[in-house]
């Protein structure tokens, strides 16, 4: 039994080296059926972290510690899982244990100190927040913002965006140049007005003889976004798009990516639709790079304004009364109607529970019913949950994103639940394809297109992330 466990563990290690993390998890899981050792549990925990299942990683680390309380690697895994969930205070507790166990390890001390510094920064930020303080948008007078005379890029005349300006913006970003600070603030203020006018779930109408393209996560992969537009055509009143969240983080061109989408929304408010993802929030932005990127490219004030805009993004969309689109998936209650999803106040940070949280964090599962999420947030929902929700709300299909897929998309739950993911070669390492769906208004039947990644210059994924001494 021990020999078979060792063989399967080594098999998992080989899959891991090839970045085939789901295969690695399968091998480690099989190994654990023969022998539950702290080493195999921590190996599987690391693979879970690679596929963004920190809840499962923390559970494996806890089991490893129940077997061997002094197993240092398990505390590292727990700390990384808590960081992935934006729970830096919990991670610091784990890293304190590590430092106690290996006080002379400089790497452990560096990770602990980096995490401690971040916790202090967050505490300071929380301490100075006041519920009565004006929002960033309320403190800005656009007319007081001037553009430096040396700036040679496109300029917004007043607050009116034109097709010429947006084309120039995309070209400038492609050349790794920034637009004027005044103009990015203008775009954020204008798109904020639009989002504030919308309900949690927005109804989208597509004429019978026209189409809409639904895209999943793009995660700061701006050059792949440009390629997507090259393949499928630029956004226009006759070429509608819906981007289903996670515009930022991980990819190191997140500012360019999300600003392009926001500029298009201002230019064509009825032709491009944007849903919030679980990464359009402060806790994720602190860890996965967007905060660091914006502050490096602009400043704190621009980042704070982005956060305010993220807090106003719609939770999802319903296309032609038939296709339900949200970033994560369905909820923990059986009797939820669309009107119930319209009730929560979405204007704030993503809550840790409730309908909005579940909509942005949930995942489908093959078995019936519901299960706790391996992410550590939200839940997993089965085909019976999907079928009941669709029947109750007179819908035909759920489209969600939130998970990388080898081919860019997966159809599950008897064809009634589609996952779409539009960031090919995710994090510059996974090797997956991207995909998008086209729906014609007349029948709303999905037609899939997959595409490969393109090369991009400069910074690799996670370049701007708060890496806590390399843990991420």
């Amino acid at each position: 039994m021990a020999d078979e466990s060792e063989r399967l563990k080594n098999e998992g290690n080989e899959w891991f080296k090839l970045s085939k993390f789901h295969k690695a998890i399968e091998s480690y899981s099989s190994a654990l059926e023969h022998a539950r050792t702290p080493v195999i549990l921590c190996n599987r925990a690391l693979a879970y972290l690679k596929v963004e299942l920190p809840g499962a990683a923390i559970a494996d680390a806890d089991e490893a510690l129940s077997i061997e309380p002094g197993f240092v690697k398990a505390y590292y895994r727990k700390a990384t899982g808590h960081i992935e969930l934006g729970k830096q205070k919990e991670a610091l507790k784990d890293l304190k244990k590590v430092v106690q166990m290996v006080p002379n390890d400089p790497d452990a001390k560096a990770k602990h100190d980096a995490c401690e510094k971040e916790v202090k920064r967050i505490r300071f930020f929380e301490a100075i927040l006041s519920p009565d303080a004006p929002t960033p948008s309320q403190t800005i007078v656009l007319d007081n913002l001037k553009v430096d005379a040396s700036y040679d890029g496109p300029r917004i005349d007043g607050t009116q965006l034109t097709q010429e300006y947006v084309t120039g913006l995309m070209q400038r970003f492609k050349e790794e140049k920034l637009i004027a600070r005044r103009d990015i603030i203008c775009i954020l203020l204008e798109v904020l007005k639009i989002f504030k006018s919308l309900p949690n779930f927005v109804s989208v109408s597509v004429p019978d003889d026209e189409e809409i393209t639904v895209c999943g996560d793009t995660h700061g992969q701006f050059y792949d976004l440009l390629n997507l537009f090259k393949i499928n055509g630029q956004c226009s009143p006759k070429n509608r798009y819906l981007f289903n969240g996670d515009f930022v983080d991980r990819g190191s061109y997140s500012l360019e990516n999300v600003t392009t989408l926001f500029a298009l929304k201002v230019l064509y408010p009825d032709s491009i639709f944007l849903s919030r993802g679980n990464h359009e929030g402060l806790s994720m932005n602190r860890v996965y790079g967007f905060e660091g990127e914006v502050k490096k490219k602009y400043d704190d004030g621009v980042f704070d304004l982005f956060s305010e805009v993220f807090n106003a993004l719609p939770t999802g969309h319903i296309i032609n009364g038939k296709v339900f689109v949200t970033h994560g998936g369905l909820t923990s209650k059986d009797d939820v109607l669309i009107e119930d999803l319209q009730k929560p106040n979405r204007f704030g940070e993503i809550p840790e529970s409730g309908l909005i949280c579940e909509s942005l964090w949930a995942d489908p599962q093959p078995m019936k019913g519901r299960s706790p999420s391996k992410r550590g947030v939200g839940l997993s929902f089965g085909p019976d949950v999907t079928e009941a929700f669709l029947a109750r709300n007179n819908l035909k299909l759920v489209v969600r994103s939130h998970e990388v897929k080898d081919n860019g998309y997966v159809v599950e739950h008897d064809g009634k639940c589609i996952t779409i993911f539009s960031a090919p070669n995710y994090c510059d390492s996974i090797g997956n394809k991207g995909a998008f769906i086209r729906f014609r208004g007349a029948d709303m039947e999905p037609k899939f297109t997959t595409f490969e990644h393109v090369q991009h210059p400069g910074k690799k994924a996670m370049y701007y992330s708060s890496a806590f001494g390399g843990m991420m």
Side-chain angles (χ1 to χ4, degrees):
M1 296 288 281
D3 288 346
E4 181 63 6
S5 178
E6 185 69 14
R7 184 190 70 80
L8 289 164
K9 182 197 77 172
N10 291 335
E11 179 182 274
N13 292 345
E14 292 304 313
W15 283 123
F16 190 96
K17 291 175 186 176
L18 296 171
S19 297
K20 300 294 183 182
F21 302 119
H22 287 288
K23 289 285 190 182
I25 290 167
E26 291 175 10
S27 296
Y28 294 141
S29 298
S30 296
L32 288 166
E33 292 175 6
H34 297 281
R36 300 193 78 78
T37 70
V39 170
I40 301 173
L41 284 163
C42 282
N43 284 7
R44 188 172 70 171
L46 184 58
Y48 276 137
L49 291 168
K50 291 293 185 179
V51 296
E52 301 179 21
L53 298 176
I58 292 169
D60 274 358
D62 279 333
E63 184 178 349
L65 290 167
S66 72
I67 298 169
E68 187 177 330
F71 198 67
V72 174
K73 189 178 290 186
Y75 281 109
Y76 274 122
R77 299 289 184 264
K78 283 188 69 176
T80 307
H82 282 130
I83 289 168
E84 284 201 10
L85 290 169
K87 296 182 177 180
Q88 291 88 344
K89 295 175 186 177
E90 295 299 316
L92 183 58
K93 295 177 185 177
D94 302 322
L95 292 170
K96 283 181 177 178
K97 290 280 189 179
V98 173
V99 172
Q100 289 170 3
M101 292 177 179
V102 286
N104 297 321
D105 186 334
D107 182 60
K109 182 70 163 55
K111 288 180 169 62
H112 170 273
D113 291 353
C115 189
E116 185 175 54
K117 181 179 179 181
E118 179 67 3
V119 168
K120 288 179 178 178
R121 186 180 75 90
I122 292 170
R123 283 176 177 158
F124 175 78
F125 175 82
E126 293 172 345
I128 63 174
L129 280 180
S130 167
D132 300 322
T135 64
S137 65
Q138 292 171 336
T139 66
I140 296 168
V141 180
L142 197 62
D143 289 343
N144 291 345
L145 302 179
K146 305 301 179 185
V147 179
D148 192 277
S150 64
Y151 175 70
D152 61 354
R155 299 180 183 227
I156 298 174
D157 184 9
T159 59
Q160 188 68 40
L161 271 66
T162 63
Q163 177 63 68
E164 180 182 13
Y165 174 81
V166 176
T167 299
L169 170 148
M170 293 168 71
Q171 180 59 37
R172 189 167 178 85
F173 284 162
K174 185 178 180 181
E175 296 169 358
E176 293 192 273
K177 299 177 182 178
L178 298 176
I179 58 172
R181 183 179 185 275
R182 184 261 181 207
D183 286 359
I184 199 167
I185 289 174
C186 176
I187 291 167
L188 291 172
L189 292 175
E190 292 301 305
V191 82
L192 179 62
K193 293 176 189 176
I194 296 171
F195 292 148
K196 280 185 171 181
S197 72
L198 300 174
N200 291 352
F201 281 79
V202 179
S203 293
V204 178
S205 296
V206 181
D208 285 354
D209 60 344
E210 296 181 18
E211 296 185 339
I212 187 170
T213 300
V214 179
C215 305
D217 303 36
T218 49
H219 271 300
Q221 296 186 198
F222 172 68
Y223 293 88
D224 291 305
L225 175 69
L226 294 181
N227 187 44
L228 192 159
F229 287 142
K230 182 178 179 180
I231 294 167
N232 194 57
Q234 289 290 339
C235 177
S236 72
K238 293 293 186 180
N239 194 27
R240 298 171 181 81
Y241 280 90
L242 193 165
F243 285 86
N244 195 28
D246 280 11
F247 320 123
V248 301
D249 283 338
R250 295 196 180 271
S252 296
Y253 297 89
S254 289
L255 181 137
E256 292 84 352
N257 196 63
V258 69
T259 303
T260 295
L261 296 175
F262 283 174
L264 286 168
K265 181 64 179 177
V266 175
L267 180 64
Y268 298 125
D270 299 320
S271 301
I272 183 169
F273 305 91
L274 305 174
S275 302
R276 190 176 195 174
N278 65 302
H279 276 266
E280 276 72 58
L282 187 56
S283 64
M284 294 293 100
N285 296 162
R286 282 172 171 160
V287 175
Y288 291 99
F290 188 61
E291 180 185 35
E293 180 181 347
V294 177
K295 290 183 177 181
K296 178 70 173 179
K297 294 177 178 178
Y298 288 98
D299 51 45
D300 289 32
V302 173
F303 175 73
D304 292 343
L305 187 53
F306 265 112
S307 292
E308 183 179 352
V309 175
F310 288 171
N311 290 346
L313 277 161
T315 312
H317 295 79
I318 301 164
I319 309 173
N320 281 13
K322 296 180 180 179
V323 177
F324 179 84
V325 186
T326 193
H327 182 72
L330 303 182
T331 65
S332 59
K333 298 180 180 179
D334 284 325
D335 56 351
V336 171
L337 300 171
I338 299 301
E339 62 191 60
D340 298 315
L341 295 172
Q342 303 288 24
K343 293 176 182 177
N345 178 12
R346 74 174 192 274
F347 295 97
E349 288 299 324
I350 300 169
E352 294 187 1
S353 61
L355 294 178
I356 291 174
C357 171
E358 292 166 355
S359 296
L360 301 188
W361 278 94
D363 296 293
Q365 65 180 21
M367 68 286 285
K368 289 184 176 181
R370 297 176 175 88
S371 303
S373 173
K374 289 184 177 181
R375 293 180 187 269
V377 185
L379 72 149
S380 297
F381 60 96
D384 55 325
V385 176
T386 298
E387 185 172 359
F389 175 82
L390 293 174
R392 190 174 295 113
N393 289 281
N394 196 28
L395 298 162
K396 65 177 285 187
L397 183 65
V398 171
V399 175
R400 42 89 61 184
S401 303
H402 197 37
E403 291 181 278
V404 60
K405 298 297 180 183
D406 286 345
N407 207 38
Y409 73 95
V410 166
V411 181
E412 300 172 276
H413 293 183
D414 300 316
K416 295 180 179 178
C417 180
I418 295 173
T419 297
I420 190 73
F421 194 85
S422 304
N425 195 31
Y426 183 43
C427 292
D428 298 332
S429 62
I430 301 300
N432 61 290
K433 294 180 181 178
F436 54 83
I437 316 170
R438 287 184 72 91
F439 290 98
R440 181 167 288 275
D443 57 23
M444 294 304 295
E445 291 294 325
K447 295 180 177 61
F448 301 96
T449 299
T450 62
F451 59 100
E452 301 284 352
H453 74 283
V454 295
Q455 295 299 313
H456 62 77
K459 308 297 187 293
K460 291 293 186 182
M462 300 291 284
Y463 179 84
Y464 296 100
S465 67
S466 175
F468 302 101
M471 292 185 67
M472 302 296 289

